[in-house]
Amino acid sequence: MLADDFAPQLTAADLASLASSIAADRPAVVLSAVPARLAQLRQQIDPRRVELMLRELVMLVRRSLRGTDAVALADDELLVVIDGPIEVGQPIAARLLAAVRAHRFTGGAADRPERLTLSVGAAAAPGHGHTFNQLVRAARRAQSEAGADNAAFAHASEPAGLDLERFVGRTEPLARLSESLDDMVRGVARVVAVIGESGVGGSSLVRMLGPEVRLRGGSLISAACHEQRLPEPYALWSEVLRAIRRLPVKSTRQWRELPSLDPSLERASDELSRGGSKVRLLEELADFLRLAAQQRPLFILLDDMQWADDASWDALEHLIPQIESERLVLALTIRTDERSDDTLERWARLSSRPHHDEIRMTRLTRDDVKRWVEGAMGRGEAGRDLLAYLYRHTEGNPLHLVQLLRDLEESGHLSREGDRWRWSDLQELPAEVSLPEVVGRRVERLPAHCRPMLELTATLDREFDEAFLQRVGDWDERAGREAIRCLVDARLLTPTYDRDTASYLFSHDELARVVRESLPAERRAVLHARLAAALAESEGAAHSLVATHYEAAGQSAEVHRHAVLAANAALGLYDTSAASALLAVAARYAPSPKALASVRARLAELAEKAGHYEDAEALCDLALGWYEGSEDTVQSIRLKRMRTLVRMRRGQGARETLSSLFALVDEATLAGADAERASILLMSSQMLGRLGDPVEAQRVAEECLAIAERCADPLLLSDSCNRLGSCLLLSDGARARALFARALELVIPLNDVVRRVNLLHNIGLLELTSSRWDDARRSLEEAVEYARAAPLIALWARASLNLGVLAIRSGRYHEAAAPLDEALRLSAEAQHTELQLVATYNLANLARDLNEFRRARHTYELARELAERIGQSEIHLGATGGMGLCHIALGEFEEAIRIHETLEESRRTMPDWFQGRELVEALSIRLAILAGRDDAIRMLADAALRADTQDPYAAALLIAEFGASLRESDANVADALVQRYWARLEVSENPRLRQQFGVLMLDSASSS
């Protein structure tokens, strides 16, 4: 029977038959429940409404039970059969009381709801009989003694104690939370945060809605975050998936990424060949929730979000916009303390969205405390002296209040005598009443055989089952169960009662913390070690949790081992920041210099990928301190190459970088490390391109590809194809496109998000230079999405930069500023000097396109200085040409002529064409026009011809800018240029160029 099926309604005779058959074979509980005030209600309102309210009551009770239970209505008496022992029946009776107490019964008149309460009696087989008649008689006797809004159990050997499971003083928050249920059923998703200090009852408030959710055909599921020093990416959502999978909800498709969070989900057969990504993981999580919510409304409690890992928060932020039209409510609980500022800031970013609500939980008022205590007593009133004592020492914190009341009851200071409660004089009541002191006294009263179980479960502070405790503890099965029963009776453990498995949870993690901190350090270390060993052998236990326990146990080598395994798992979920944090722990507990160097090398690689270049360089230096004296020559060369790369990205000059790379090529050749030699040559090709030697850059890239083909290394081969494609970007677009496609095909199955983003960016850049702007936009936006999710700051900056360039080329100048500014910010954060340079240069181009010549001149000057410092010759030339054009626009002709003279000196060594050369050519043409030279039209034609095959957009820009001015010199040449480019995408897709060419076409037509 599935856990979420609800109880059927039977006739009284059928219920009796079912109860007798169950009781003859196994434990069962019979409840007799009678609603209070029914006769009075029949006199006050239409009796037909009362009958409707009884039907509503039956449905509410049915929805609060499981499919193996059953319900019958006999006149005004509700009879319930529970398939389980009395330990199951007790919490169910309390849950039914709470559900009825909180529900508003409409009886067909929604604007005039009524409140009902139950009087419940219970009897259990075999203790009170083996037939239905025996059990129901015992249950009815207990019901007659229970009183209103209370439950009693047949033949209880002792009078009932305090009923502290009640919930009072939360009418307004509960009503606000209940409003989300109607939206949930209508398909309007809601997100609600319940915020308050520890112990104030936020989680209890949300769980109060369980019966109301079930009444609407939905399910309330919960998943909790835990305080843990080491990150466990997506732990919260793994728990959500497991909880939903326990419902009668079908997974109607196969998944590529989601089985990484829940292995019970069916993995797609082609998953290995298709590769993966964080974006797909989050999309599949959203798809799963959508599919589940289509089958039944879901109210999902995300408990203790102040302890959620960053990846779980990222997933939540990604999910919310995707599920706004689904039958879902996400209820977050957040504790406020000195460490919750970051959590509240993340929530603040979400709370401004539609259908988001925030409920602030406060402590109970004096009147709330009075009503709660008197309700817990069942009969009679609590004296002012007792209430004053309770409120003064707890200040209305519900958790503290419950523990203090239990302490008073257990110590005899608060006792029941018949139908009344008595308490000691104030002078005799305990003066040490802080939460640790109260819990400490309660623990001291426990039988000695319970203490080891209490200490172990408090140290674990996770849900557990009896089978796990058998593996950890020094007790047999019977002793273990007796100890658990003792702790459950003391309300220190709570049964989670998935009735198929006896599982339990500490009743509040604050109590677990108090118990843990009261233990001697040596005892805590022993318990942590036992738990770590048992968890390490358990299927599905997170390595980060195992490492946390080993760290507390002081076992360094095991901390190192499991932290490395946890980092591997985090990388499998694309969480590089969590992997870095886990590897940092592994480094701290490394058992040997070799292990430490290995971890530092991995940390350096992650820092380089994330764009944290200063950290990457320092880690390379530290790792090389060991590897340079070891026999692992290849790893030493690899680290030196990485260090050279990050130094280059931090602004080291191109020639200095190239010199370092050539020295490393010699080392790799001597070591016979062909793959590493090829990787170094890849960087050398990049440097040669930066220094303005595209022919040599392409030759070296071809050599790299040949070596990679021999090595049969898919990553090296992908990198080589990517680099050669970049060299051919302007000169041979067709071959570049084929190389990029091959590189992407190689890297997708390897789940390498860094290389995937690089390739998506380069493909977008190729489409941009080919004026295939829709294709370019798709690739670049996909690259931004992957890079942002990873997060890969430098790659994110690069893709944003070219989205800005794309906006400029397509004439959307005012849209270009945002991605270019983002690229500049991100490249500064990553300390990526070359990207800062390119972003600055394109911001200067944008300012010039917007006719903001002073700002453009200043920005070109910044770009020129930075390009000179790092040896980027092409941008240096382009920025110099741009400065000259701005000087002309501002009337500063002498300065423009001086700049042009310096460019003429460089013209001999310029590549045939490069991005930015159009500014150099434009400056020469503009000065020729101003000087009245006849060869200006020839200069324009030569420049357009030179740019035609490699950068037609640059050719179109030059013709648009100078075509009208030069028609008088040679109308035939000017008109031929206009006719050649009029139908090109570079013109037709750019509004400004289209308008300029339109004027030129009219001029051409009028003169012919």
Side-chain angles (χ1 to χ4, degrees):
M1 183 66 68
L2 289 165
D4 203 58
D5 290 344
F6 56 87
Q9 182 176 1
L10 308 177
T11 65
D14 289 342
L15 186 82
S17 176
L18 175 66
S20 295
S21 66
I22 295 175
D25 181 55
R26 57 186 183 273
V29 177
V30 171
L31 302 181
S32 169
V34 178
R37 299 194 312 116
L38 281 187
Q40 180 183 352
L41 277 173
R42 287 191 172 101
Q43 295 175 356
Q44 294 175 345
I45 64 175
D46 187 338
R48 289 174 297 181
R49 284 192 61 203
V50 177
E51 298 309 310
L52 290 174
M53 290 166 64
L54 276 174
R55 293 183 192 177
E56 203 173 333
L57 172 64
V58 171
M59 181 57 71
L60 178 65
V61 172
R62 289 178 62 201
R63 297 275 187 179
S64 299
L65 300 171
R66 293 182 61 173
T68 51
D69 307 325
V71 175
L73 186 64
D75 296 326
D76 290 345
E77 181 185 26
L78 191 63
L79 297 171
V80 178
V81 174
I82 297 170
D83 186 5
I86 189 65
E87 293 82 8
V88 172
Q90 289 171 333
I92 287 178
R95 193 166 73 227
L96 292 179
L97 286 173
V100 174
R101 187 186 305 129
H103 186 69
R104 302 187 343 157
F105 293 86
T106 63
D111 58 333
R112 300 190 303 277
E114 298 286 344
R115 298 281 187 181
L116 291 180
T117 57
L118 291 180
S119 174
V120 179
H128 304 123
H130 293 275
T131 68
F132 175 74
N133 288 334
Q134 292 171 332
L135 294 171
V136 79
R137 282 197 298 270
R140 285 168 174 163
R141 286 194 299 270
Q143 184 272 326
S144 67
E145 300 173 0
D149 197 17
N150 204 1
F153 291 82
H155 307 307
S157 58
E158 298 179 358
L162 291 169
D163 177 12
L164 295 173
E165 307 303 322
R166 295 168 178 269
F167 204 79
V168 300
R170 305 303 193 200
T171 305
E172 190 270 337
L174 191 60
R176 287 177 58 190
L177 199 54
S178 299
E179 291 173 0
S180 63
L181 299 182
D182 294 332
D183 285 339
M184 174 186 72
V185 174
R186 291 201 310 269
V188 178
R190 296 284 297 271
V191 182
V192 184
V194 182
I195 302 172
E197 67 177 70
S198 177
V200 82
S203 303
S204 300
L205 175 75
V206 176
R207 290 193 175 94
M208 284 282 290
L209 288 182
E212 297 293 325
V213 175
R214 292 173 66 90
L215 186 62
R216 291 163 172 80
S219 298
L220 188 152
I221 65 169
S222 63
C225 307
H226 300 281
E227 189 173 19
Q228 187 171 315
R229 206 179 74 75
L230 303 185
E232 185 181 340
Y234 304 108
L236 175 70
W237 296 105
S238 293
E239 194 170 338
V240 168
L241 292 176
R242 288 194 296 270
I244 294 177
R245 294 280 284 167
R246 288 194 289 267
L247 303 176
V249 169
K250 295 181 179 179
S251 172
T252 56
R253 55 168 281 191
Q254 295 179 324
W255 310 90
R256 292 193 175 89
E257 297 288 347
L258 222 49
S260 300
L261 300 184
D262 181 3
S264 69
L265 289 167
E266 186 176 359
R267 189 180 290 274
S269 57
D270 62 343
E271 181 270 335
L272 289 177
S273 64
R274 293 290 299 273
S277 72
K278 180 176 179 178
V279 174
R280 182 180 292 148
L281 174 66
L282 298 182
E283 289 295 334
E284 287 192 357
L285 180 58
D287 287 346
F288 183 91
L289 293 179
R290 276 194 290 265
L291 289 170
Q294 287 168 10
Q295 298 175 60
R296 62 173 52 212
L298 293 177
F299 194 108
I300 302 177
L301 167 60
L302 305 177
D303 210 3
D304 287 330
M305 286 296 289
Q306 74 281 352
W307 291 329
D309 60 279
D310 288 341
S312 290
W313 268 109
D314 291 344
L316 177 64
E317 292 176 0
H318 179 87
L319 283 172
I320 287 175
Q322 316 267 339
I323 58 172
E324 290 179 342
S325 300
E326 304 300 333
R327 298 190 299 170
L328 277 168
V329 175
L330 298 178
L332 291 63
T333 65
I334 300 173
R335 295 189 204 176
T336 53
D337 58 28
E338 65 278 1
R339 298 170 297 175
S340 60
D341 290 348
D342 290 344
T343 300
L344 292 175
E345 183 179 338
R346 294 199 76 151
W347 163 247
R349 295 204 295 266
L350 297 175
S351 59
S352 60
R353 297 181 63 89
H355 308 299
H356 285 54
D357 196 11
E358 180 178 301
I359 297 173
R360 289 280 177 168
M361 296 287 284
T362 59
R363 297 181 180 187
L364 299 176
T365 65
R366 291 178 184 274
D367 186 57
D368 293 333
V369 171
K370 179 177 185 296
R371 287 190 292 117
W372 190 7
V373 173
E374 291 179 348
M377 290 178 171
R379 294 181 175 87
E381 293 186 1
R384 289 186 177 181
D385 54 345
L386 176 63
L387 292 173
Y389 171 84
L390 293 172
Y391 193 82
R392 181 171 67 252
H393 291 300
T394 66
E395 297 180 340
N397 182 285
L399 175 65
H400 196 173
L401 180 62
V402 166
Q403 295 306 310
L404 181 54
L405 282 167
R406 293 200 191 284
D407 177 45
L408 295 178
E409 184 180 17
E410 291 167 359
S411 63
H413 287 295
L414 183 61
S415 59
R416 185 169 185 170
E417 296 180 3
D419 290 341
R420 298 184 61 82
W421 285 85
R422 299 191 180 278
W423 49 90
S424 302
D425 291 336
L426 285 180
Q427 295 83 352
E428 299 176 16
L429 293 177
E432 297 81 14
V433 290
S434 68
L435 185 63
E437 290 168 334
V438 170
V439 174
R441 285 197 297 271
R442 295 196 63 215
V443 170
E444 286 296 321
R445 297 188 194 102
L446 292 172
H449 71 275
C450 293
R451 302 276 185 82
M453 179 69 73
L454 176 74
E455 293 171 356
L456 186 68
T457 54
T459 305
L460 177 62
D461 197 19
R462 292 284 196 285
E463 185 176 356
F464 61 89
D465 57 34
E466 292 180 359
F468 177 78
L469 291 184
Q470 291 301 318
R471 294 198 299 273
V472 184
D474 296 327
W475 44 71
D476 58 30
E477 184 176 350
R478 180 180 177 183
R481 288 184 175 174
E482 287 181 358
I484 289 174
R485 176 71 59 80
C486 171
L487 298 177
V488 170
D489 291 343
R491 303 296 193 272
L492 291 169
L493 287 184
T494 300
T496 52
Y497 283 115
D498 181 9
R499 295 185 218 178
D500 303 322
T501 304
S503 57
Y504 306 86
L505 187 66
F506 228 86
S507 58
H508 198 286
D509 58 78
E510 193 67 16
L511 303 183
R513 182 189 63 79
V514 169
V515 172
R516 282 196 307 273
E517 292 181 355
S518 69
L519 298 175
E522 297 80 3
R523 175 63 176 161
R524 284 202 302 270
V526 169
L527 292 171
H528 280 296
R530 286 165 56 188
L531 286 168
L535 287 167
E537 295 175 0
S538 300
E539 183 179 357
H543 288 289
S544 57
L545 179 60
V546 177
T548 298
H549 282 292
Y550 272 127
E551 183 179 34
Q555 297 188 20
S556 299
E558 291 299 321
V559 178
H560 171 83
R561 185 168 74 89
H562 285 281
V564 169
L565 292 171
N568 295 341
L571 288 173
L573 292 170
Y574 319 107
D575 191 344
T576 54
S577 58
S580 295
L582 289 160
L583 287 173
V585 172
R588 191 157 53 251
Y589 292 99
S592 67
K594 179 180 179 181
L596 177 59
S598 174
V599 170
R600 282 172 169 169
R602 293 189 64 185
L603 280 168
E605 184 179 355
L606 288 174
E608 185 270 321
K609 288 180 178 179
H612 302 148
Y613 298 127
E614 185 175 0
D615 293 340
E617 182 178 352
L619 286 162
C620 285
D621 287 337
L622 290 170
L624 281 167
W626 186 84
Y627 277 109
E628 285 187 315
S630 75
E631 297 179 357
D632 195 342
T633 309
V634 173
Q635 179 69 337
S636 176
I637 295 171
R638 187 175 296 123
L639 284 165
K640 290 177 183 178
R641 172 172 57 83
M642 190 190 311
R643 183 175 63 183
T644 303
L645 175 65
V646 297
R647 284 175 176 173
M648 174 194 76
R649 288 178 174 165
R650 294 188 67 198
Q652 179 176 272
R655 297 194 182 281
E656 184 180 353
T657 301
L658 194 59
S659 176
S660 299
L661 290 172
F662 286 156
L664 284 176
V665 168
D666 293 339
E667 284 191 46
T669 302
L670 287 172
D674 282 351
E676 194 57 36
R677 181 163 68 94
S679 297
I680 298 166
L681 288 172
L682 284 175
M683 289 179 60
S684 303
S685 172
Q686 185 178 352
M687 287 300 98
L688 289 164
R690 178 191 284 186
L691 288 168
D693 193 349
V695 175
E696 184 63 13
Q698 180 179 336
R699 187 199 64 76
V700 172
E702 297 275 12
E703 183 182 352
C704 292
L705 182 58
I707 296 173
E709 297 278 13
R710 292 197 303 271
C711 292
D713 180 339
L715 288 179
L716 180 60
L717 188 55
S718 174
D719 290 344
S720 300
C721 289
N722 187 23
R723 178 58 203 155
L724 182 55
S726 299
C727 291
L728 298 170
L729 202 65
L730 296 178
S731 60
D732 192 345
R735 188 182 177 199
R737 188 171 285 107
L739 286 164
F740 289 147
R742 184 184 181 192
L744 194 60
E745 183 181 352
L746 286 165
V747 84
I748 282 178
L750 303 176
N751 292 347
D752 191 319
V753 68
V754 176
R755 287 179 168 85
R756 175 177 279 196
V757 172
N758 252 321
L759 284 161
L760 286 170
H761 166 266
N762 287 348
I763 291 169
L765 190 58
L766 173 63
E767 306 301 2
L768 173 61
T769 57
S770 303
S771 301
R772 296 164 60 162
W773 290 338
D774 288 341
D775 292 338
R777 186 174 295 106
R778 277 193 294 271
S779 288
L780 291 171
E781 286 177 349
E782 189 176 358
V784 166
E785 189 175 7
Y786 275 105
R788 183 189 290 121
L792 301 168
I793 298 174
L795 296 177
W796 178 5
R798 191 184 299 275
S800 293
L801 167 64
N802 282 305
L803 277 172
V805 174
L806 175 61
I808 292 174
R809 290 203 168 197
S810 54
R812 302 192 313 275
Y813 301 106
H814 292 285
E815 296 178 21
L820 289 176
D821 286 338
E822 181 177 64
L824 187 61
R825 175 183 63 80
L826 292 169
S827 57
E829 181 181 340
Q831 298 182 341
H832 196 310
T833 311
E834 185 174 11
L835 278 177
Q836 285 179 270
L837 167 62
V838 181
T840 303
Y841 174 65
N842 278 286
L843 282 167
N845 287 338
L846 177 61
R848 179 174 173 269
D849 287 332
L850 294 172
N851 297 325
E852 298 175 3
F853 297 112
R854 293 190 184 279
R855 184 160 68 90
R857 182 188 62 188
H858 174 69
T859 311
Y860 277 129
E861 188 172 8
L862 291 176
R864 184 170 177 264
E865 292 172 358
L866 185 55
E868 186 173 18
R869 178 162 66 85
I870 69 170
Q872 224 301 353
S873 59
E874 294 181 359
I875 291 183
H876 182 270
L877 292 168
T880 304
M883 282 179 62
L885 290 168
C886 291
H887 281 302
I888 292 174
L890 294 169
E892 300 164 353
F893 301 110
E894 291 184 4
E895 189 63 24
I897 292 169
R898 185 191 65 77
I899 287 175
H900 180 255
E901 290 172 352
T902 64
L903 286 173
E904 285 298 301
E905 295 173 5
S906 306
R907 185 178 290 274
R908 292 187 303 274
T909 59
M910 286 185 192
D912 189 51
W913 193 263
F914 56 89
Q915 292 184 22
R917 178 153 186 170
E918 69 275 10
L919 297 180
V920 177
E921 299 293 341
L923 178 59
S924 298
I925 296 168
R926 178 62 67 192
L927 288 173
I929 292 172
L930 291 173
R933 288 166 50 187
D934 294 334
D935 62 344
I937 186 68
R938 180 190 54 76
M939 294 169 62
L940 173 62
D942 289 347
L945 180 63
R946 189 178 293 113
D948 183 64
T949 57
Q950 299 188 45
D951 194 355
Y953 173 78
L957 277 179
L958 291 170
I959 294 167
E961 185 167 355
F962 299 112
S965 302
L966 295 176
R967 284 196 81 256
E968 296 179 3
S969 300
D970 193 329
N972 291 331
V973 173
D975 291 346
L977 290 171
V978 172
Q979 292 288 342
R980 180 182 179 88
Y981 280 88
W982 163 246
R984 300 284 287 266
L985 288 173
E986 292 82 2
V987 174
S988 61
E989 297 295 325
N990 184 309
R992 180 183 290 183
L993 287 180
R994 189 167 61 243
Q995 181 182 15
Q996 290 173 313
F997 267 76
V999 172
L1000 292 172
M1001 287 293 290
L1002 286 174
D1003 290 344
S1004 176
S1006 62
S1007 63
S1008 59

